[in-house]
Amino acid sequence: MCGILAVLGCSDDSQAKRVRVLELSRRLKHRGPDWSGLYQHGDCYLAHQRLAIIDPASGDQPLFNEDKSIVVTVNGEIYNHEDLRKRLPNHKFRTGSDCDVIAHLYEEYGEDFVDMLDGMFSFVLLDTRDNSFIVARDAIGITSLYIGWGLDGSIWISSELKGLNDDCEHFECFPPGHLYSSKEGGLRRWYNPHWFSESIPSTPYDPLVLRRAFENAVIKRLMTDVPFGVLLSGGLDSSLVASITARHLAGTRAAKQWGAQLHSFCVGLEGSPDLKAGKEVADYLGTVHHEFHFTVQDGIDAIEEVIYHIESYDVTTIRASTPMFLMARKIKSLGVKMVISGEGSDEIFGGYLYFHKAPNKEEFHKETCRKIKALHQYDCLRANKSTSAWGLEARVPFLDKEFINVAMAIDPESKMIKRDEGRIEKWVLRKAFDDEERPYLPKHILYRQKEQFSDGVGYSWIDGLKAHAALHVTNKMMLNAERIYPHNTPTTKEAYYYRMIFERFFPQNSARLSVPGGASIACSTAKAVEWDEAWSKNLDPSGRAALGVHQSAYENQAASVSNTLIIDNVPLKMEVSTPGVAILS
């Protein structure tokens, strides 16, 4: 991942403005520690902080066309860049960077080329011939991007809030799958797949078609000129990514440069479910496995830094971002610059445990559509910013455009969870990789129950966060929560604690409006809470709130088990009696 910042039409071409843009761009240096670039054309500025993954020697940005009339600053990877170059035989490329094709595609096809790009990206393109510009973000929002407006009529674009929040009158999340055109003066959606309308598909489930589509999605993400690895929690999604990568790594350019033995990484509290499962899968696949341990106190000490980097006060996002943030630092210290991860599968296949209560296939499918559309505010944001905080890039094959088209065209009846028929969550994905002759994974891993990342790293992690928040947020403070924070009012002490930290870093109203809210049970959308009347009484985003489904659900903990947690060096006696909601088949 890189960091981009653009200030367009600010009516100020002074040296002082250039210095200010450079200053703001440096706030994004963690995303791209390898090189910095700034291009100025009149009152338009395009800045870039580079993380060099493809063509590290000559791919510095901004990038240009042949006569330098088209200027581009890009964050992302274009996996089909070699094919696109073949479609541009009359163009001369200055670098071997995968992003070099963007300026030339614009020359050839105008503003309508974005759908030709296969990858994850955010970019700003300036046409100096008429001072027009376009801004685009990838289909799902894997890369983070924000847009802001200045009082002087300027438009600002930044990979993160912190690049523009102090200088814009208003700013917001740049919507995924959209393009902003200065010629049209507004946004339009360039990504228009069939599933976006939420109409119910009817394509019969074919396990081999699904398998091939996902294998292709993983293989194309092996494009790299730097050391890489896979995140391996031992759950279904990360294990499949690791298995496919291990199978296809040999013979690739990456293998010739860095060796054919795959490196895998896992994080967790001592004795956590993920550490145990991750090691088992790593041993099965023969990867060079790296296990990182953290304590509850380590995580709590990092919370403020995590919130600064992920720019969110959403409880689930912070819970899951913290261990990922800590792991990313360790991974980068080993010299690794890119990892492949398993985000997106649960949204596409209805993998969250609350999907057990989907009343019919229509509601099941519509909920998966809603979840995919919201990914840029949750798991994509977490994966992108938690890793980019340390100059590490995360690639997510489940969010490949072609794979999503295949998976979302399947008749949702096949995705429905039917325990009486032996069909657990994500059954269609598990079945697609259940190969008796050449097994991808051991059976018990292939059919391991879903663990949300914040649960899988160790159940005492969330309990510890709640206990820590209780030390810093009083009952009296909670009584005034609605008046202090009228938008997305925190309803728990944990949420209140995170909100206080967020508002200290990002006090603007636009910042608080950029974070999603609403009722949720075990990571559901607010709409899915309506599936069960009892859920509104227990809006806990942990997967363990799914009573009757999760094997370590809150109901399976003793109703009043006394535990001692050490938080802030203070022993706390805790009564673990968290309420849950039963999910019955």
Side-chain angles (χ1 to χ4, degrees):
M1 287 298 138
C2 303
I4 65 173
L5 174 68
V7 185
L8 304 154
C10 60
S11 303
D12 185 353
D13 59 0
S14 67
Q15 177 63 19
K17 188 67 173 183
R18 184 182 178 93
V19 169
R20 177 58 177 167
V21 174
L22 282 168
E23 179 187 349
L24 294 173
S25 179
R26 281 193 286 270
R27 294 184 182 181
L28 308 177
K29 189 178 284 188
H30 53 274
R31 297 182 64 89
D34 297 335
W35 195 252
S36 302
L38 174 63
Y39 175 85
Q40 179 183 356
H41 178 75
D43 62 358
C44 293
Y45 302 81
L46 272 65
H48 190 265
Q49 301 288 343
R50 188 184 185 205
L51 178 66
I53 303 290
I54 304 297
D55 187 21
S58 67
D60 294 339
Q61 295 191 35
L63 296 164
F64 303 89
N65 64 338
E66 292 89 343
D67 64 3
K68 293 193 173 184
S69 62
I70 312 297
V71 193
V72 186
T73 182
V74 195
N75 167 37
E77 306 293 342
I78 310 301
Y79 302 121
N80 64 335
H81 74 103
E82 292 182 350
D83 291 336
L84 292 173
R85 285 171 185 258
K86 293 173 184 176
R87 298 173 64 170
L88 299 163
N90 299 321
H91 290 257
K92 183 179 179 181
F93 297 91
R94 295 175 174 272
T95 78
S97 167
D98 53 296
C99 296
D100 209 353
V101 297
I102 293 175
H104 301 277
L105 287 169
Y106 172 78
E107 277 191 297
E108 201 73 27
Y109 300 98
E111 295 183 352
D112 296 325
F113 72 90
V114 180
D115 198 27
M116 298 168 65
L117 302 176
D118 183 6
M120 54 178 182
F121 54 83
S122 298
F123 69 80
V124 180
L125 181 150
L126 175 66
D127 188 337
T128 64
R129 296 170 298 189
D130 59 4
N131 256 22
S132 64
F133 62 87
I134 61 171
V135 185
R137 187 180 184 188
D138 65 67
I140 306 299
I142 301 166
T143 58
S144 58
L145 195 66
Y146 296 86
I147 182 170
W149 293 267
L151 287 173
D152 57 3
S154 58
I155 291 178
W156 294 60
I157 303 294
S158 177
S159 293
E160 296 185 3
L161 275 181
K162 58 185 68 68
L164 52 69
N165 67 305
D166 287 335
D167 289 65
C168 291
E169 185 68 15
H170 176 73
F171 51 87
E172 59 193 47
C173 174
F174 192 99
H178 279 70
L179 177 143
Y180 181 94
S181 167
S182 65
K183 292 177 180 176
E184 297 178 4
L187 288 157
R188 73 171 185 268
R189 185 153 55 89
W190 64 263
Y191 179 56
N192 296 286
H194 291 301
W195 63 266
F196 212 86
S197 68
E198 301 184 11
S199 59
I200 312 304
S202 58
T203 303
Y205 167 56
D206 186 329
L208 292 181
V209 169
L210 189 65
R211 182 197 295 184
R212 281 194 296 268
F214 188 58
E215 285 193 309
N216 289 338
V218 174
I219 292 167
K220 72 175 68 169
R221 282 159 179 79
L222 301 182
M223 176 187 84
T224 178
D225 292 329
V226 298
F228 82 103
V230 294
L231 302 186
L232 180 57
S233 68
L236 173 68
D237 308 327
S238 65
S239 297
L240 283 178
V241 169
S243 177
I244 295 167
T245 303
R247 282 193 181 202
H248 295 280
L249 182 57
T252 63
R253 188 171 71 181
K256 291 173 185 174
Q257 286 183 288
W258 309 108
Q261 193 169 19
L262 182 64
H263 286 253
S264 57
F265 308 96
C266 187
V267 66
L269 303 176
E270 195 76 46
S272 72
D274 280 2
L275 289 180
K276 180 182 176 183
K279 186 177 188 310
E280 185 178 359
V281 176
D283 290 343
Y284 180 81
L285 298 176
T287 68
V288 180
H289 193 56
H290 307 267
E291 226 178 59
F292 305 124
H293 297 186
F294 76 102
T295 65
V296 172
Q297 190 64 55
D298 291 334
I300 287 170
D301 290 342
I303 287 291
E304 292 208 9
E305 201 173 2
V306 168
I307 291 174
Y308 173 75
H309 278 288
I310 67 170
E311 303 172 324
S312 178
Y313 50 82
D314 175 69
V315 170
T316 310
T317 303
I318 294 167
R319 287 176 177 179
S321 293
T322 304
M324 197 169 195
F325 174 86
L326 296 172
M327 175 172 56
R329 186 177 191 179
K330 289 280 193 178
I331 292 172
K332 187 62 184 291
S333 73
L334 298 175
V336 172
K337 295 176 76 173
M338 185 271 282
V339 290
I340 308 178
S341 190
E343 277 78 12
S345 171
D346 293 313
E347 286 74 14
I348 294 169
F349 296 105
Y352 293 107
L353 298 184
Y354 73 89
F355 274 93
H356 282 246
K357 286 290 284 186
N360 51 56
K361 73 175 188 178
E362 290 80 13
E363 280 300 309
F364 189 106
H365 179 73
K366 289 178 180 178
E367 176 70 359
T368 61
C369 293
R370 290 190 291 265
K371 290 291 292 180
I372 296 171
K373 291 175 184 178
L375 265 170
H376 68 286
Q377 297 176 302
Y378 296 101
D379 286 26
C380 286
L381 180 148
R382 166 181 55 79
N384 181 277
K385 292 183 179 178
S386 297
T387 54
S388 293
W390 302 107
L392 180 70
E393 176 173 287
R395 297 181 180 177
V396 284
F398 278 109
L399 298 182
D400 180 84
K401 278 197 303 181
E402 294 178 24
F403 176 72
I404 292 176
N405 286 342
V406 171
M408 292 302 288
I410 297 172
D411 186 334
E413 182 64 33
S414 300
K415 295 181 181 180
M416 290 283 285
I417 299 162
K418 298 182 178 180
R419 286 194 289 179
D420 55 338
E421 298 178 16
R423 281 167 45 176
I424 63 172
E425 64 277 354
K426 294 188 286 193
W427 175 82
V428 292
L429 181 63
R430 300 174 196 272
K431 186 67 175 175
F433 287 92
D434 194 347
D435 190 326
E436 297 288 348
E437 294 182 6
R438 291 188 65 209
Y440 286 80
L441 295 168
K443 285 274 190 182
H444 65 283
I445 293 293
L446 191 62
Y447 291 94
R448 182 190 178 201
Q449 186 178 62
K450 161 69 184 171
E451 286 280 13
Q452 288 170 207
F453 187 52
S454 53
D455 285 329
V457 297
Y459 298 138
S460 59
W461 167 233
I462 292 176
D463 298 333
L465 287 173
K466 292 177 178 178
H468 175 74
L471 292 174
H472 295 271
V473 180
T474 66
N475 292 337
K476 193 174 181 180
M477 292 164 71
M478 289 301 297
L479 288 174
N480 295 328
E482 193 171 355
R483 290 173 175 80
I484 301 297
Y485 302 117
H487 177 74
N488 284 345
T489 303
T491 57
T492 66
K493 290 184 176 181
E494 185 186 4
Y496 195 107
Y497 178 66
Y498 299 153
R499 186 65 172 271
M500 288 193 299
I501 298 170
F502 177 88
E503 298 262 350
R504 199 164 69 241
F505 290 130
F506 308 105
Q508 300 86 358
N509 188 52
S510 291
R512 65 181 67 98
L513 292 175
S514 72
V515 181
S520 178
I521 177 75
C523 282
S524 74
T525 66
K527 181 68 175 174
V529 172
E530 298 173 8
W531 290 353
D532 192 308
E533 187 179 349
W535 283 356
S536 61
K537 301 170 186 174
N538 180 59
L539 299 174
D540 191 316
S542 168
R544 286 183 294 156
L547 300 195
V549 177
H550 196 290
Q551 292 160 359
S552 296
Y554 291 139
E555 68 174 352
N556 295 334
Q557 299 175 4
S560 185
V561 178
S562 180
N563 287 293
T564 302
L565 283 176
I566 308 298
I567 305 295
D568 297 332
N569 299 315
V570 178
L572 292 177
K573 240 6 189 181
M574 285 188 62
E575 293 296 314
V576 181
S577 56
T578 312
V581 177
I583 301 183
L584 306 175
S585 293

